[in-house]
Amino acid sequence: MAFSIRLTEQEKKLAESYAKLHSVSLGEAFKNALFEKIEDEYDISVFEEAHREYVVSGKESRPIDKLWEEFDI
């Protein structure tokens, strides 16, 4: 699948510089950025759902030092 996007000269120079810095083609740089953004948004949605479930469950967190105190022998 191929696609095209319109960039200003400044955007094009920045994108080309980024691709060169990472030793990838311009297309590969855009592809990587797209999938990284998708992954980030997915991670956020999974976190938000887990947090909602945690809050609804009524559980409470506590400082790690309190946990370690329980294991002091």
Side-chain angles (χ1 to χ4, degrees):
M1 174 181 178
F3 66 92
S4 65
I5 58 173
R6 290 190 175 96
L7 301 172
T8 65
E9 267 310 304
Q10 186 177 8
E11 291 168 336
K12 182 180 176 188
K13 287 179 183 177
L14 179 62
E16 288 173 337
S17 176
Y18 178 86
K20 185 176 180 181
L21 178 68
H22 292 282
S23 302
V24 296
S25 69
L26 189 55
E28 192 68 24
F30 276 104
K31 184 174 149 182
N32 291 344
L34 171 64
F35 286 106
E36 185 174 316
K37 178 70 172 170
I38 291 170
E39 181 181 354
D40 289 348
E41 289 189 17
Y42 175 78
D43 290 346
I44 289 169
S45 70
V46 168
F47 163 78
E48 288 172 344
E49 178 61 26
H51 183 257
R52 272 192 298 277
E53 290 176 10
Y54 175 79
V55 169
V56 168
S57 76
K59 294 180 182 175
E60 293 185 12
S61 63
R62 55 195 169 138
I64 191 72
D65 58 328
K66 299 296 181 194
L67 176 65
W68 292 125
E69 287 175 8
E70 291 179 19
F71 292 107
D72 269 347
I73 299 175

